[in-house]
Structure formats: C-alpha cells, structure tokens
Amino acid sequence: MRGRFIVFEGPEGSGKSTQANRLAARLAASGVPVRLTREPGGTAIGERVRAILLSEQSAEMRPETEALLYAAARAQHVAEVLRPGVENGEIVICDRFADSSIAYQAGGRGLPAAEVVGIQRLATGGLTPDLRILLDLPAEAGLARRFSADEGVNRLDRAETAFHQRVRDCYLGLAAAAQDDWVVIDAGRSPEEVAGDVDQAVDRLLEGWSGRPATNAAETGSGDVE
Ligand code: TYD
C-alpha cells in the first residue's frame, strides 16, 4: 500500500514547522504511520549541505551554486527518506520541497524557472507531493515574526524584503496555476485557526486512502490493510 506525501511550503515566518509538527503528532496519535522531515536536510549528507547553505559565512554564494546545493540535498533526501517512506505506506510530511527551489531560486534570486525546474527533475526522480499546503503571509509580516522569534535567523532571512516578496508572489503563482495540487491557507491568523484548515485539507486527502488509522478501521470492522 502506497503512503501519501504532504509538503508544507511558504515564506519565512509562516509557521510551517509548527503546523508540520502538529499535523504529524495528530496523525500519529490516531494510529497513522507518519514520517516528519524537512528540507534542506533530513539525511546526514543533507544536514551537512544545509549547514553550508544557511551559514552566514556563505554570503558570496552564487545563485546557481545555491540552486544546485538545495537540489543535491534533495536528491539524497528523496532516495534515503521520502521515496522509501511513501513506498512503505507512510504519511510523509515534509517541511519544504522542490517548490521552495522554484520560489526562492527562480522567483527570489531570478534564475530561469525552466532551468530550476529541470534540476528538480534530476533531484526528485519524478517524486511529486500528493498535497502541497501553502501557508501564505505577506513578506513583511513573516519577516517580523522571524526576527522577533527566538529561533535562529539564517542567511536567507537576511535577504532584502523585495526578495521575500518575489518568493511569495512566485508561490501564489504556482498555486494558482495548479489549483488541484495546492491548498492555500491564510497564515496570518492564530495557529489554531490555521491548524483547522490544515486538518480539513489533509482529512480530505486521506478520505479515500486505504491505510486509514487503525482506530477507525477497528470501529468500522474493516481492518484489512493492503
Ligand atoms: P529554515 O531555517 O529551515 O527556514 P524555514 O523555517 O523558513 O523553512 O531554512 C531554510 C531556508 O532555505 C529558507 O530560507 C528557505 C530556503 N530554501 C531555499 O531557498 N530553497 C530550497 O529549495 C529550500 C528547501 C529552502
């Protein structure tokens, strides 16, 4: 039985990590096999690449280098974690995936979108999310949250506001162009309100899924799992 691949996307300070953690905990509590992971990172090699990407010492990094390093970490992540998880029947929840590269390296940095998309094909080997959740927020609001929070500020957070505006616009364009693949959620509200919308979208995705929570299967008496 194939699992499902759910990705959280969004600009800085949109609350992705909070929502991804919460969703993973909720699904796990209902008996669903869950794997929570993030990009860049999620593997030993990927975490080392992450350190290079986010270090304040990488200020002179070229946009092309940046795009290739994110893709390099992703290739390892797909092979070691994401694809095995989905093939193993798990609900794989990932904080950022290939659309982050389109939004940041093409939208934000200005690399040609077709080139960035081409690199993703190599990195993902064709693995695509079953659901993309865009936590949408104006750039200024997200940056204000990020800089006022205790969490660390990284190299990309320090990019100019216009960069983050381009990132957001790119995300909104991607979501508008493929509405069946995306759910856009207003992240400017309370975490509880955002979580309600996330749950609704995920429950809709999992409705027809045969690997339903063990508790539900027991209740309905249809405990067979493929
Ligand atoms: P992180 O601290 O995980 O930030 P966030 O909580 O916003 O996800 O740092 C990841 C940074 O890397 C973030 O600024 C977005 C950026 N990024 C890209 O530019 N391209 C990518 O493909 C990915 C996955 C992330």
Side-chain angles (χ1 to χ4, degrees), residues 19-40:
Q19 294 297 336
N21 275 295
R22 210 203 109 273
L23 175 64
R26 178 177 79 88
L27 293 178
S30 68
V32 173
V34 176
R35 197 183 287 223
L36 174 64
T37 183
R38 68 163 180 190
E39 291 203 349

PDB file of all heavy atoms in Angstrom, residues 19-40:
ATOM      1  N   GLN A  19       3.132  23.906  12.198  1.00  0.00           N
ATOM      2  CA  GLN A  19       1.983  23.177  11.650  1.00  0.00           C
ATOM      3  C   GLN A  19       2.374  21.763  11.233  1.00  0.00           C
ATOM      4  O   GLN A  19       1.587  20.821  11.409  1.00  0.00           O
ATOM      5  CB  GLN A  19       1.384  23.943  10.457  1.00  0.00           C
ATOM      6  CG  GLN A  19       0.764  25.281  10.828  1.00  0.00           C
ATOM      7  CD  GLN A  19      -0.426  25.145  11.789  1.00  0.00           C
ATOM      8  OE1 GLN A  19      -1.084  24.104  11.866  1.00  0.00           O
ATOM      9  NE2 GLN A  19      -0.695  26.202  12.547  1.00  0.00           N
ATOM     10  N   ALA A  20       3.565  21.605  10.696  1.00  0.00           N
ATOM     11  CA  ALA A  20       4.009  20.267  10.281  1.00  0.00           C
ATOM     12  C   ALA A  20       4.135  19.360  11.510  1.00  0.00           C
ATOM     13  O   ALA A  20       3.692  18.204  11.498  1.00  0.00           O
ATOM     14  CB  ALA A  20       5.338  20.358   9.541  1.00  0.00           C
ATOM     15  N   ASN A  21       4.705  19.899  12.577  1.00  0.00           N
ATOM     16  CA  ASN A  21       4.849  19.136  13.823  1.00  0.00           C
ATOM     17  C   ASN A  21       3.490  18.743  14.398  1.00  0.00           C
ATOM     18  O   ASN A  21       3.283  17.614  14.821  1.00  0.00           O
ATOM     19  CB  ASN A  21       5.587  19.982  14.873  1.00  0.00           C
ATOM     20  CG  ASN A  21       7.090  19.865  14.707  1.00  0.00           C
ATOM     21  OD1 ASN A  21       7.656  18.802  14.896  1.00  0.00           O
ATOM     22  ND2 ASN A  21       7.725  20.948  14.314  1.00  0.00           N
ATOM     23  N   ARG A  22       2.598  19.705  14.389  1.00  0.00           N
ATOM     24  CA  ARG A  22       1.272  19.465  14.958  1.00  0.00           C
ATOM     25  C   ARG A  22       0.523  18.396  14.159  1.00  0.00           C
ATOM     26  O   ARG A  22      -0.065  17.469  14.714  1.00  0.00           O
ATOM     27  CB  ARG A  22       0.488  20.783  14.935  1.00  0.00           C
ATOM     28  CG  ARG A  22      -0.516  20.926  16.034  1.00  0.00           C
ATOM     29  CD  ARG A  22      -1.593  21.924  15.619  1.00  0.00           C
ATOM     30  NE  ARG A  22      -2.835  21.245  15.368  1.00  0.00           N
ATOM     31  CZ  ARG A  22      -3.210  20.708  14.219  1.00  0.00           C
ATOM     32  NH1 ARG A  22      -2.452  20.781  13.148  1.00  0.00           N
ATOM     33  NH2 ARG A  22      -4.368  20.101  14.106  1.00  0.00           N
ATOM     34  N   LEU A  23       0.581  18.516  12.847  1.00  0.00           N
ATOM     35  CA  LEU A  23      -0.106  17.540  11.996  1.00  0.00           C
ATOM     36  C   LEU A  23       0.469  16.146  12.210  1.00  0.00           C
ATOM     37  O   LEU A  23      -0.272  15.169  12.341  1.00  0.00           O
ATOM     38  CB  LEU A  23       0.023  17.952  10.521  1.00  0.00           C
ATOM     39  CG  LEU A  23      -0.543  16.944   9.522  1.00  0.00           C
ATOM     40  CD1 LEU A  23      -2.059  16.793   9.692  1.00  0.00           C
ATOM     41  CD2 LEU A  23      -0.204  17.361   8.083  1.00  0.00           C
ATOM     42  N   ALA A  24       1.783  16.062  12.268  1.00  0.00           N
ATOM     43  CA  ALA A  24       2.422  14.751  12.459  1.00  0.00           C
ATOM     44  C   ALA A  24       1.973  14.135  13.778  1.00  0.00           C
ATOM     45  O   ALA A  24       1.643  12.948  13.845  1.00  0.00           O
ATOM     46  CB  ALA A  24       3.938  14.896  12.426  1.00  0.00           C
ATOM     47  N   ALA A  25       1.913  14.950  14.826  1.00  0.00           N
ATOM     48  CA  ALA A  25       1.507  14.436  16.137  1.00  0.00           C
ATOM     49  C   ALA A  25       0.052  13.979  16.105  1.00  0.00           C
ATOM     50  O   ALA A  25      -0.298  12.928  16.646  1.00  0.00           O
ATOM     51  CB  ALA A  25       1.709  15.521  17.198  1.00  0.00           C
ATOM     52  N   ARG A  26      -0.790  14.755  15.446  1.00  0.00           N
ATOM     53  CA  ARG A  26      -2.216  14.386  15.389  1.00  0.00           C
ATOM     54  C   ARG A  26      -2.411  13.068  14.649  1.00  0.00           C
ATOM     55  O   ARG A  26      -3.136  12.179  15.107  1.00  0.00           O
ATOM     56  CB  ARG A  26      -3.026  15.490  14.691  1.00  0.00           C
ATOM     57  CG  ARG A  26      -4.510  15.150  14.559  1.00  0.00           C
ATOM     58  CD  ARG A  26      -5.326  16.264  13.924  1.00  0.00           C
ATOM     59  NE  ARG A  26      -5.233  16.356  12.488  1.00  0.00           N
ATOM     60  CZ  ARG A  26      -6.015  15.687  11.629  1.00  0.00           C
ATOM     61  NH1 ARG A  26      -6.939  14.854  12.055  1.00  0.00           N
ATOM     62  NH2 ARG A  26      -5.873  15.843  10.323  1.00  0.00           N
ATOM     63  N   LEU A  27      -1.760  12.933  13.504  1.00  0.00           N
ATOM     64  CA  LEU A  27      -1.930  11.701  12.729  1.00  0.00           C
ATOM     65  C   LEU A  27      -1.352  10.505  13.473  1.00  0.00           C
ATOM     66  O   LEU A  27      -1.952   9.430  13.512  1.00  0.00           O
ATOM     67  CB  LEU A  27      -1.273  11.852  11.344  1.00  0.00           C
ATOM     68  CG  LEU A  27      -1.931  12.868  10.402  1.00  0.00           C
ATOM     69  CD1 LEU A  27      -1.149  12.956   9.098  1.00  0.00           C
ATOM     70  CD2 LEU A  27      -3.390  12.512  10.129  1.00  0.00           C
ATOM     71  N   ALA A  28      -0.184  10.718  14.079  1.00  0.00           N
ATOM     72  CA  ALA A  28       0.448   9.611  14.812  1.00  0.00           C
ATOM     73  C   ALA A  28      -0.462   9.155  15.954  1.00  0.00           C
ATOM     74  O   ALA A  28      -0.614   7.957  16.201  1.00  0.00           O
ATOM     75  CB  ALA A  28       1.810  10.041  15.347  1.00  0.00           C
ATOM     76  N   ALA A  29      -1.096  10.125  16.629  1.00  0.00           N
ATOM     77  CA  ALA A  29      -1.967   9.784  17.757  1.00  0.00           C
ATOM     78  C   ALA A  29      -3.178   8.977  17.301  1.00  0.00           C
ATOM     79  O   ALA A  29      -3.760   8.227  18.079  1.00  0.00           O
ATOM     80  CB  ALA A  29      -2.421  11.058  18.464  1.00  0.00           C
ATOM     81  N   SER A  30      -3.553   9.121  16.020  1.00  0.00           N
ATOM     82  CA  SER A  30      -4.711   8.356  15.549  1.00  0.00           C
ATOM     83  C   SER A  30      -4.282   7.048  14.876  1.00  0.00           C
ATOM     84  O   SER A  30      -5.077   6.401  14.200  1.00  0.00           O
ATOM     85  CB  SER A  30      -5.569   9.207  14.605  1.00  0.00           C
ATOM     86  OG  SER A  30      -4.858   9.449  13.416  1.00  0.00           O
ATOM     87  N   GLY A  31      -3.014   6.703  15.033  1.00  0.00           N
ATOM     88  CA  GLY A  31      -2.556   5.388  14.578  1.00  0.00           C
ATOM     89  C   GLY A  31      -2.002   5.352  13.164  1.00  0.00           C
ATOM     90  O   GLY A  31      -1.702   4.277  12.642  1.00  0.00           O
ATOM     91  N   VAL A  32      -1.864   6.519  12.535  1.00  0.00           N
ATOM     92  CA  VAL A  32      -1.333   6.554  11.170  1.00  0.00           C
ATOM     93  C   VAL A  32       0.198   6.516  11.214  1.00  0.00           C
ATOM     94  O   VAL A  32       0.796   7.214  12.037  1.00  0.00           O
ATOM     95  CB  VAL A  32      -1.800   7.851  10.462  1.00  0.00           C
ATOM     96  CG1 VAL A  32      -1.135   8.020   9.113  1.00  0.00           C
ATOM     97  CG2 VAL A  32      -3.308   7.869  10.321  1.00  0.00           C
ATOM     98  N   PRO A  33       0.839   5.702  10.387  1.00  0.00           N
ATOM     99  CA  PRO A  33       2.302   5.724  10.352  1.00  0.00           C
ATOM    100  C   PRO A  33       2.795   7.015   9.696  1.00  0.00           C
ATOM    101  O   PRO A  33       2.492   7.287   8.536  1.00  0.00           O
ATOM    102  CB  PRO A  33       2.668   4.507   9.492  1.00  0.00           C
ATOM    103  CG  PRO A  33       1.445   4.201   8.700  1.00  0.00           C
ATOM    104  CD  PRO A  33       0.257   4.747   9.431  1.00  0.00           C
ATOM    105  N   VAL A  34       3.528   7.812  10.442  1.00  0.00           N
ATOM    106  CA  VAL A  34       3.919   9.147   9.977  1.00  0.00           C
ATOM    107  C   VAL A  34       5.428   9.291   9.974  1.00  0.00           C
ATOM    108  O   VAL A  34       6.110   8.784  10.866  1.00  0.00           O
ATOM    109  CB  VAL A  34       3.344  10.233  10.923  1.00  0.00           C
ATOM    110  CG1 VAL A  34       3.811  11.610  10.504  1.00  0.00           C
ATOM    111  CG2 VAL A  34       1.837  10.193  10.941  1.00  0.00           C
ATOM    112  N   ARG A  35       5.927   9.978   8.982  1.00  0.00           N
ATOM    113  CA  ARG A  35       7.338  10.340   8.968  1.00  0.00           C
ATOM    114  C   ARG A  35       7.429  11.845   8.735  1.00  0.00           C
ATOM    115  O   ARG A  35       6.920  12.351   7.733  1.00  0.00           O
ATOM    116  CB  ARG A  35       8.040   9.594   7.829  1.00  0.00           C
ATOM    117  CG  ARG A  35       9.547   9.579   7.980  1.00  0.00           C
ATOM    118  CD  ARG A  35      10.193   8.902   6.793  1.00  0.00           C
ATOM    119  NE  ARG A  35      10.023   7.453   6.759  1.00  0.00           N
ATOM    120  CZ  ARG A  35      11.013   6.605   6.453  1.00  0.00           C
ATOM    121  NH1 ARG A  35      12.208   7.059   6.185  1.00  0.00           N
ATOM    122  NH2 ARG A  35      10.792   5.319   6.386  1.00  0.00           N
ATOM    123  N   LEU A  36       8.031  12.559   9.678  1.00  0.00           N
ATOM    124  CA  LEU A  36       8.142  14.026   9.580  1.00  0.00           C
ATOM    125  C   LEU A  36       9.584  14.378   9.252  1.00  0.00           C
ATOM    126  O   LEU A  36      10.512  13.919   9.923  1.00  0.00           O
ATOM    127  CB  LEU A  36       7.732  14.651  10.912  1.00  0.00           C
ATOM    128  CG  LEU A  36       7.913  16.163  11.050  1.00  0.00           C
ATOM    129  CD1 LEU A  36       7.017  16.924  10.078  1.00  0.00           C
ATOM    130  CD2 LEU A  36       7.608  16.612  12.481  1.00  0.00           C
ATOM    131  N   THR A  37       9.759  15.198   8.229  1.00  0.00           N
ATOM    132  CA  THR A  37      11.127  15.543   7.843  1.00  0.00           C
ATOM    133  C   THR A  37      11.152  16.949   7.248  1.00  0.00           C
ATOM    134  O   THR A  37      10.121  17.610   7.172  1.00  0.00           O
ATOM    135  CB  THR A  37      11.682  14.465   6.875  1.00  0.00           C
ATOM    136  OG1 THR A  37      13.030  14.764   6.551  1.00  0.00           O
ATOM    137  CG2 THR A  37      10.861  14.375   5.599  1.00  0.00           C
ATOM    138  N   ARG A  38      12.333  17.426   6.871  1.00  0.00           N
ATOM    139  CA  ARG A  38      12.426  18.809   6.402  1.00  0.00           C
ATOM    140  C   ARG A  38      13.523  18.955   5.358  1.00  0.00           C
ATOM    141  O   ARG A  38      14.421  18.119   5.251  1.00  0.00           O
ATOM    142  CB  ARG A  38      12.750  19.735   7.560  1.00  0.00           C
ATOM    143  CG  ARG A  38      14.160  19.491   8.079  1.00  0.00           C
ATOM    144  CD  ARG A  38      14.667  20.627   8.917  1.00  0.00           C
ATOM    145  NE  ARG A  38      16.025  20.348   9.391  1.00  0.00           N
ATOM    146  CZ  ARG A  38      16.650  21.062  10.284  1.00  0.00           C
ATOM    147  NH1 ARG A  38      16.067  22.095  10.828  1.00  0.00           N
ATOM    148  NH2 ARG A  38      17.880  20.763  10.638  1.00  0.00           N
ATOM    149  N   GLU A  39      13.440  20.067   4.611  1.00  0.00           N
ATOM    150  CA  GLU A  39      14.498  20.409   3.654  1.00  0.00           C
ATOM    151  C   GLU A  39      14.948  21.847   3.880  1.00  0.00           C
ATOM    152  O   GLU A  39      14.117  22.678   4.259  1.00  0.00           O
ATOM    153  CB  GLU A  39      13.977  20.252   2.218  1.00  0.00           C
ATOM    154  CG  GLU A  39      13.743  18.810   1.856  1.00  0.00           C
ATOM    155  CD  GLU A  39      13.775  18.571   0.353  1.00  0.00           C
ATOM    156  OE1 GLU A  39      13.780  19.538  -0.422  1.00  0.00           O
ATOM    157  OE2 GLU A  39      13.811  17.403  -0.038  1.00  0.00           O
ATOM    158  N   PRO A  40      16.203  22.199   3.590  1.00  0.00           N
ATOM    159  CA  PRO A  40      17.231  21.215   3.254  1.00  0.00           C
ATOM    160  C   PRO A  40      17.607  20.415   4.485  1.00  0.00           C
ATOM    161  O   PRO A  40      17.585  20.943   5.595  1.00  0.00           O
ATOM    162  CB  PRO A  40      18.399  22.089   2.778  1.00  0.00           C
ATOM    163  CG  PRO A  40      18.206  23.390   3.501  1.00  0.00           C
ATOM    164  CD  PRO A  40      16.720  23.568   3.631  1.00  0.00           C
TER     165      PRO A  40
END
